Amino acid sequence: MTGSPQAVVNIGLLGHVDHGKTSLTKALTGKWTDTHSEEVKRGISIRLGYADTTIYSCPKCSLHTLKGECPKCGGKAELKRRVSFLDAPGHETLMTIVLSASSIMDGALLLIAANEPCPQPQTAEHLMILNIAGIKNVVVVQTKIDLVTKEQAKAHYESIRNFLKGSVAENAPIVPVVSNYGINVDAVADAIERTIPTPHRDSSLPPIMFISRSFDINKPGTPIPNLKGGVVGGSLVQGSIKKGDTVLIRPGLETTKKGMKEVQVKVESLMSEGGPLESAAPGGLVAVGTSLDPNVTKADSLVGCLLGKPGALPEAKAEITFDHHLIQREGFDNPPLKMGEPLVINVGTATGIGVIAAIKKGQVLAKLKKPVCVVKGSTVAMSRRVGQRWRLAGWGKSL
Ligand code: ZN
């Protein structure tokens, strides 16, 4: 995949609030991520943020860097691959997305600030989620080391090692950085290359893409003959799509009378952050230009749908069955589930609101207000209402 403009690996960004995620993202990708979006306050909708970067490799020193030049010998470094960082605003939504989108999460960066005792509550919960999701390829980034003495940084490093013991990240590299000054950020790139490989993907499988955004790219007032079709964005979990393909979007569009209606569309263009594509593979964010009326794709109307080859996508259903496991969290009781209890379910990029219609032998059947399209065996994140908020309370595998 060397040289592809599309990112080939998705890396989740985790870390306690104020542990320097925004600064590290800026240092790695040149982009500020918006971690204080209004979406958080609106509650359950999940906005998955992507930022890409390119990693280069020096053929002489076998060191990796974010620049085209080796930091050691100054020689020309060769393009290795593009990687995509995934983030979601808010602690609850971030944990939910790491679980529900674990099939597109190939690894994680876990940020831990050196100027606070380790672990902080959110850091502990993030490690718990990585354990549940089985995300083993983790790089720990020890941030803000400029705010402590050398001895403090060393002691803090040891406390991180202790904290990681017995977890999926037990042997994770710990890279100290000062993101604001770009100090040691190349070492993060190097650790990513050594710890988070591009997973093997079976391109012979039929394509399935999780749609995480949809929009209208036309400026207001564009004359009709110049209008571009509606665009959907997301990540492929398997297979590939190419220009000219006919694909299905399911459950599809909301109609006033019949609920949801699936749509068949032609792939007119493919785009990644690195440039246009002839075909798209699993990995980072892909934007698919379709033959749809742009009016129907605006304002994220298709978020949560699957895109794939007709015949190969699971049926859309207004119910979901999964085996369930409750998680222990600070700050709220998590008693056994009750019949009739309202739940929010996240699976892939889909969000479903529903009620529990059956509980049997650790399995839950939830009836949903709207249909969702679920690949069997997907990780389901389950939130319960605690006071006025939805809190992540458990997880399971769809049956
Ligand atoms: Zn070199």
mmCIF file of all heavy atoms in Angstrom, residues 162-197:
data_model
loop_
_atom_site.group_PDB
_atom_site.id
_atom_site.type_symbol
_atom_site.label_atom_id
_atom_site.label_comp_id
_atom_site.label_asym_id
_atom_site.label_seq_id
_atom_site.Cartn_x
_atom_site.Cartn_y
_atom_site.Cartn_z
ATOM 1 N N ASN A 162 3.462 0.462 36.068
ATOM 2 C CA ASN A 162 2.663 -0.280 37.053
ATOM 3 C C ASN A 162 1.207 -0.342 36.653
ATOM 4 O O ASN A 162 0.560 -1.386 36.743
ATOM 5 C CB ASN A 162 2.748 0.401 38.423
ATOM 6 C CG ASN A 162 3.934 -0.113 39.201
ATOM 7 O OD1 ASN A 162 4.327 -1.270 39.049
ATOM 8 N ND2 ASN A 162 4.518 0.736 40.017
ATOM 9 N N PHE A 163 0.689 0.803 36.218
ATOM 10 C CA PHE A 163 -0.704 0.925 35.818
ATOM 11 C C PHE A 163 -1.029 -0.021 34.659
ATOM 12 O O PHE A 163 -2.109 -0.615 34.600
ATOM 13 C CB PHE A 163 -0.961 2.398 35.456
ATOM 14 C CG PHE A 163 -2.198 2.673 34.666
ATOM 15 C CD1 PHE A 163 -3.455 2.345 35.165
ATOM 16 C CD2 PHE A 163 -2.116 3.299 33.417
ATOM 17 C CE1 PHE A 163 -4.605 2.618 34.420
ATOM 18 C CE2 PHE A 163 -3.251 3.573 32.684
ATOM 19 C CZ PHE A 163 -4.496 3.224 33.184
ATOM 20 N N LEU A 164 -0.092 -0.198 33.732
ATOM 21 C CA LEU A 164 -0.345 -1.011 32.534
ATOM 22 C C LEU A 164 -0.254 -2.512 32.801
ATOM 23 O O LEU A 164 -0.709 -3.317 31.979
ATOM 24 C CB LEU A 164 0.650 -0.649 31.424
ATOM 25 C CG LEU A 164 0.640 0.794 30.902
ATOM 26 C CD1 LEU A 164 1.737 0.975 29.855
ATOM 27 C CD2 LEU A 164 -0.729 1.135 30.294
ATOM 28 N N LYS A 165 0.333 -2.878 33.947
ATOM 29 C CA LYS A 165 0.563 -4.306 34.252
ATOM 30 C C LYS A 165 -0.726 -5.115 34.170
ATOM 31 O O LYS A 165 -1.746 -4.724 34.712
ATOM 32 C CB LYS A 165 1.169 -4.452 35.642
ATOM 33 C CG LYS A 165 2.664 -4.608 35.555
ATOM 34 C CD LYS A 165 3.305 -4.993 36.867
ATOM 35 C CE LYS A 165 4.801 -4.744 36.725
ATOM 36 N NZ LYS A 165 5.380 -4.166 37.917
ATOM 37 N N GLY A 166 -0.677 -6.218 33.486
ATOM 38 C CA GLY A 166 -1.837 -7.104 33.387
ATOM 39 C C GLY A 166 -2.873 -6.677 32.362
ATOM 40 O O GLY A 166 -3.894 -7.328 32.202
ATOM 41 N N SER A 167 -2.623 -5.583 31.648
ATOM 42 C CA SER A 167 -3.586 -5.101 30.644
ATOM 43 C C SER A 167 -3.102 -5.454 29.239
ATOM 44 O O SER A 167 -1.977 -5.924 29.058
ATOM 45 C CB SER A 167 -3.755 -3.583 30.749
ATOM 46 O OG SER A 167 -2.635 -2.934 30.178
ATOM 47 N N VAL A 168 -3.957 -5.165 28.241
ATOM 48 C CA VAL A 168 -3.556 -5.377 26.835
ATOM 49 C C VAL A 168 -2.325 -4.544 26.477
ATOM 50 O O VAL A 168 -1.594 -4.875 25.556
ATOM 51 C CB VAL A 168 -4.683 -4.991 25.836
ATOM 52 C CG1 VAL A 168 -5.724 -6.080 25.720
ATOM 53 C CG2 VAL A 168 -5.295 -3.641 26.138
ATOM 54 N N ALA A 169 -2.132 -3.441 27.239
ATOM 55 C CA ALA A 169 -1.038 -2.517 26.916
ATOM 56 C C ALA A 169 0.190 -2.755 27.791
ATOM 57 O O ALA A 169 1.090 -1.911 27.852
ATOM 58 C CB ALA A 169 -1.514 -1.073 27.057
ATOM 59 N N GLU A 170 0.251 -3.913 28.439
ATOM 60 C CA GLU A 170 1.349 -4.209 29.370
ATOM 61 C C GLU A 170 2.729 -3.914 28.777
ATOM 62 O O GLU A 170 3.588 -3.359 29.448
ATOM 63 C CB GLU A 170 1.256 -5.685 29.803
ATOM 64 C CG GLU A 170 2.434 -6.126 30.644
ATOM 65 C CD GLU A 170 2.098 -7.217 31.649
ATOM 66 O OE1 GLU A 170 1.075 -7.902 31.456
ATOM 67 O OE2 GLU A 170 2.852 -7.361 32.621
ATOM 68 N N ASN A 171 2.914 -4.291 27.517
ATOM 69 C CA ASN A 171 4.242 -4.111 26.919
ATOM 70 C C ASN A 171 4.316 -2.913 25.970
ATOM 71 O O ASN A 171 5.223 -2.818 25.145
ATOM 72 C CB ASN A 171 4.649 -5.375 26.180
ATOM 73 C CG ASN A 171 4.734 -6.558 27.128
ATOM 74 O OD1 ASN A 171 5.337 -6.448 28.203
ATOM 75 N ND2 ASN A 171 4.089 -7.659 26.779
ATOM 76 N N ALA A 172 3.347 -2.011 26.097
ATOM 77 C CA ALA A 172 3.318 -0.857 25.185
ATOM 78 C C ALA A 172 4.535 0.035 25.399
ATOM 79 O O ALA A 172 4.970 0.226 26.534
ATOM 80 C CB ALA A 172 2.042 -0.046 25.427
ATOM 81 N N PRO A 173 5.094 0.572 24.315
ATOM 82 C CA PRO A 173 6.152 1.565 24.491
ATOM 83 C C PRO A 173 5.579 2.834 25.121
ATOM 84 O O PRO A 173 4.412 3.162 24.888
ATOM 85 C CB PRO A 173 6.625 1.832 23.057
ATOM 86 C CG PRO A 173 5.499 1.434 22.179
ATOM 87 C CD PRO A 173 4.751 0.350 22.910
ATOM 88 N N ILE A 174 6.370 3.495 25.941
ATOM 89 C CA ILE A 174 5.945 4.762 26.543
ATOM 90 C C ILE A 174 6.883 5.844 26.004
ATOM 91 O O ILE A 174 8.088 5.783 26.215
ATOM 92 C CB ILE A 174 6.033 4.705 28.087
ATOM 93 C CG1 ILE A 174 5.168 3.555 28.628
ATOM 94 C CG2 ILE A 174 5.618 6.043 28.701
ATOM 95 C CD1 ILE A 174 5.327 3.302 30.129
ATOM 96 N N VAL A 175 6.313 6.785 25.268
ATOM 97 C CA VAL A 175 7.137 7.804 24.609
ATOM 98 C C VAL A 175 6.901 9.171 25.259
ATOM 99 O O VAL A 175 5.782 9.683 25.202
ATOM 100 C CB VAL A 175 6.790 7.899 23.103
ATOM 101 C CG1 VAL A 175 7.727 8.868 22.389
ATOM 102 C CG2 VAL A 175 6.831 6.531 22.441
ATOM 103 N N PRO A 176 7.916 9.754 25.903
ATOM 104 C CA PRO A 176 7.742 11.093 26.477
ATOM 105 C C PRO A 176 7.803 12.162 25.387
ATOM 106 O O PRO A 176 8.656 12.078 24.492
ATOM 107 C CB PRO A 176 8.932 11.224 27.443
ATOM 108 C CG PRO A 176 9.934 10.218 26.997
ATOM 109 C CD PRO A 176 9.264 9.204 26.125
ATOM 110 N N VAL A 177 6.895 13.132 25.433
ATOM 111 C CA VAL A 177 6.899 14.208 24.428
ATOM 112 C C VAL A 177 6.579 15.570 25.054
ATOM 113 O O VAL A 177 6.021 15.644 26.145
ATOM 114 C CB VAL A 177 5.833 14.000 23.308
ATOM 115 C CG1 VAL A 177 6.043 12.723 22.535
ATOM 116 C CG2 VAL A 177 4.424 14.079 23.853
ATOM 117 N N VAL A 178 6.971 16.615 24.331
ATOM 118 C CA VAL A 178 6.456 17.964 24.585
ATOM 119 C C VAL A 178 5.835 18.396 23.262
ATOM 120 O O VAL A 178 6.523 18.857 22.357
ATOM 121 C CB VAL A 178 7.569 18.948 25.013
ATOM 122 C CG1 VAL A 178 6.965 20.294 25.384
ATOM 123 C CG2 VAL A 178 8.368 18.387 26.186
ATOM 124 N N SER A 179 4.530 18.189 23.149
ATOM 125 C CA SER A 179 3.864 18.395 21.853
ATOM 126 C C SER A 179 3.989 19.829 21.362
ATOM 127 O O SER A 179 4.208 20.072 20.174
ATOM 128 C CB SER A 179 2.383 18.040 21.958
ATOM 129 O OG SER A 179 2.211 16.768 22.495
ATOM 130 N N ASN A 180 3.837 20.802 22.269
ATOM 131 C CA ASN A 180 3.814 22.212 21.855
ATOM 132 C C ASN A 180 5.115 22.636 21.192
ATOM 133 O O ASN A 180 5.129 23.556 20.390
ATOM 134 C CB ASN A 180 3.526 23.122 23.045
ATOM 135 C CG ASN A 180 2.078 22.991 23.488
ATOM 136 O OD1 ASN A 180 1.240 22.506 22.725
ATOM 137 N ND2 ASN A 180 1.788 23.394 24.712
ATOM 138 N N TYR A 181 6.224 22.009 21.557
ATOM 139 C CA TYR A 181 7.505 22.344 20.942
ATOM 140 C C TYR A 181 7.942 21.267 19.946
ATOM 141 O O TYR A 181 9.072 21.284 19.462
ATOM 142 C CB TYR A 181 8.573 22.556 22.022
ATOM 143 C CG TYR A 181 8.216 23.688 22.956
ATOM 144 C CD1 TYR A 181 7.699 23.432 24.214
ATOM 145 C CD2 TYR A 181 8.353 25.010 22.538
ATOM 146 C CE1 TYR A 181 7.336 24.468 25.058
ATOM 147 C CE2 TYR A 181 7.988 26.056 23.377
ATOM 148 C CZ TYR A 181 7.475 25.781 24.636
ATOM 149 O OH TYR A 181 7.113 26.813 25.454
ATOM 150 N N GLY A 182 7.076 20.299 19.698
ATOM 151 C CA GLY A 182 7.400 19.242 18.737
ATOM 152 C C GLY A 182 8.523 18.335 19.207
ATOM 153 O O GLY A 182 9.145 17.644 18.409
ATOM 154 N N ILE A 183 8.797 18.329 20.539
ATOM 155 C CA ILE A 183 9.929 17.544 21.036
ATOM 156 C C ILE A 183 9.548 16.074 21.144
ATOM 157 O O ILE A 183 8.590 15.716 21.823
ATOM 158 C CB ILE A 183 10.421 18.089 22.404
ATOM 159 C CG1 ILE A 183 10.989 19.505 22.197
ATOM 160 C CG2 ILE A 183 11.485 17.170 23.012
ATOM 161 C CD1 ILE A 183 11.256 20.251 23.480
ATOM 162 N N ASN A 184 10.314 15.240 20.444
ATOM 163 C CA ASN A 184 10.159 13.788 20.457
ATOM 164 C C ASN A 184 8.915 13.291 19.722
ATOM 165 O O ASN A 184 8.543 12.129 19.879
ATOM 166 C CB ASN A 184 10.161 13.255 21.905
ATOM 167 C CG ASN A 184 11.083 12.045 22.033
ATOM 168 O OD1 ASN A 184 12.015 11.894 21.245
ATOM 169 N ND2 ASN A 184 10.813 11.199 23.003
ATOM 170 N N VAL A 185 8.283 14.140 18.922
ATOM 171 C CA VAL A 185 7.075 13.707 18.215
ATOM 172 C C VAL A 185 7.424 12.662 17.135
ATOM 173 O O VAL A 185 6.657 11.733 16.887
ATOM 174 C CB VAL A 185 6.323 14.926 17.635
ATOM 175 C CG1 VAL A 185 5.135 14.478 16.803
ATOM 176 C CG2 VAL A 185 5.832 15.816 18.781
ATOM 177 N N ASP A 186 8.627 12.781 16.540
ATOM 178 C CA ASP A 186 9.076 11.745 15.596
ATOM 179 C C ASP A 186 9.166 10.375 16.269
ATOM 180 O O ASP A 186 8.935 9.344 15.635
ATOM 181 C CB ASP A 186 10.453 12.107 15.015
ATOM 182 C CG ASP A 186 10.327 12.983 13.772
ATOM 183 O OD1 ASP A 186 9.246 12.959 13.136
ATOM 184 O OD2 ASP A 186 11.301 13.685 13.441
ATOM 185 N N ALA A 187 9.495 10.380 17.575
ATOM 186 C CA ALA A 187 9.587 9.102 18.308
ATOM 187 C C ALA A 187 8.207 8.452 18.435
ATOM 188 O O ALA A 187 8.100 7.226 18.507
ATOM 189 C CB ALA A 187 10.204 9.319 19.680
ATOM 190 N N VAL A 188 7.143 9.287 18.462
ATOM 191 C CA VAL A 188 5.779 8.734 18.474
ATOM 192 C C VAL A 188 5.529 8.037 17.136
ATOM 193 O O VAL A 188 5.017 6.906 17.086
ATOM 194 C CB VAL A 188 4.716 9.830 18.731
ATOM 195 C CG1 VAL A 188 3.307 9.245 18.665
ATOM 196 C CG2 VAL A 188 4.948 10.512 20.078
ATOM 197 N N ALA A 189 5.921 8.710 16.037
ATOM 198 C CA ALA A 189 5.766 8.107 14.707
ATOM 199 C C ALA A 189 6.536 6.796 14.632
ATOM 200 O O ALA A 189 6.038 5.788 14.093
ATOM 201 C CB ALA A 189 6.252 9.081 13.633
ATOM 202 N N ASP A 190 7.742 6.790 15.189
ATOM 203 C CA ASP A 190 8.569 5.587 15.180
ATOM 204 C C ASP A 190 7.892 4.457 15.972
ATOM 205 O O ASP A 190 7.832 3.315 15.516
ATOM 206 C CB ASP A 190 9.952 5.901 15.757
ATOM 207 C CG ASP A 190 10.971 4.837 15.404
ATOM 208 O OD1 ASP A 190 11.192 4.617 14.189
ATOM 209 O OD2 ASP A 190 11.510 4.205 16.330
ATOM 210 N N ALA A 191 7.356 4.812 17.144
ATOM 211 C CA ALA A 191 6.673 3.805 17.978
ATOM 212 C C ALA A 191 5.423 3.278 17.276
ATOM 213 O O ALA A 191 5.099 2.085 17.358
ATOM 214 C CB ALA A 191 6.317 4.396 19.334
ATOM 215 N N ILE A 192 4.718 4.150 16.566
ATOM 216 C CA ILE A 192 3.523 3.716 15.818
ATOM 217 C C ILE A 192 3.929 2.678 14.773
ATOM 218 O O ILE A 192 3.309 1.621 14.637
ATOM 219 C CB ILE A 192 2.819 4.923 15.152
ATOM 220 C CG1 ILE A 192 2.116 5.779 16.215
ATOM 221 C CG2 ILE A 192 1.822 4.460 14.087
ATOM 222 C CD1 ILE A 192 1.586 7.110 15.688
ATOM 223 N N GLU A 193 5.010 2.970 14.036
ATOM 224 C CA GLU A 193 5.463 2.041 12.996
ATOM 225 C C GLU A 193 5.854 0.691 13.576
ATOM 226 O O GLU A 193 5.654 -0.348 12.969
ATOM 227 C CB GLU A 193 6.627 2.640 12.208
ATOM 228 C CG GLU A 193 6.203 3.719 11.232
ATOM 229 C CD GLU A 193 5.094 3.240 10.297
ATOM 230 O OE1 GLU A 193 5.265 2.220 9.624
ATOM 231 O OE2 GLU A 193 4.034 3.894 10.270
ATOM 232 N N ARG A 194 6.435 0.710 14.779
ATOM 233 C CA ARG A 194 6.918 -0.544 15.379
ATOM 234 C C ARG A 194 5.819 -1.313 16.123
ATOM 235 O O ARG A 194 5.966 -2.492 16.375
ATOM 236 C CB ARG A 194 8.090 -0.256 16.330
ATOM 237 C CG ARG A 194 9.299 0.257 15.572
ATOM 238 C CD ARG A 194 10.458 0.631 16.456
ATOM 239 N NE ARG A 194 11.386 1.508 15.747
ATOM 240 C CZ ARG A 194 12.261 1.093 14.820
ATOM 241 N NH1 ARG A 194 12.328 -0.175 14.507
ATOM 242 N NH2 ARG A 194 13.049 1.964 14.215
ATOM 243 N N THR A 195 4.742 -0.609 16.490
ATOM 244 C CA THR A 195 3.737 -1.222 17.374
ATOM 245 C C THR A 195 2.394 -1.473 16.691
ATOM 246 O O THR A 195 1.662 -2.378 17.071
ATOM 247 C CB THR A 195 3.500 -0.301 18.598
ATOM 248 O OG1 THR A 195 4.768 0.105 19.112
ATOM 249 C CG2 THR A 195 2.716 -1.001 19.691
ATOM 250 N N ILE A 196 2.042 -0.628 15.710
ATOM 251 C CA ILE A 196 0.709 -0.731 15.100
ATOM 252 C C ILE A 196 0.848 -1.048 13.618
ATOM 253 O O ILE A 196 0.894 -0.156 12.772
ATOM 254 C CB ILE A 196 -0.101 0.578 15.324
ATOM 255 C CG1 ILE A 196 -0.082 0.972 16.819
ATOM 256 C CG2 ILE A 196 -1.544 0.407 14.819
ATOM 257 C CD1 ILE A 196 -0.727 2.322 17.125
ATOM 258 N N PRO A 197 0.956 -2.334 13.283
ATOM 259 C CA PRO A 197 1.126 -2.689 11.871
ATOM 260 C C PRO A 197 -0.174 -2.500 11.085
ATOM 261 O O PRO A 197 -1.257 -2.474 11.675
ATOM 262 C CB PRO A 197 1.503 -4.177 11.930
ATOM 263 C CG PRO A 197 0.917 -4.675 13.210
ATOM 264 C CD PRO A 197 0.894 -3.510 14.166
#
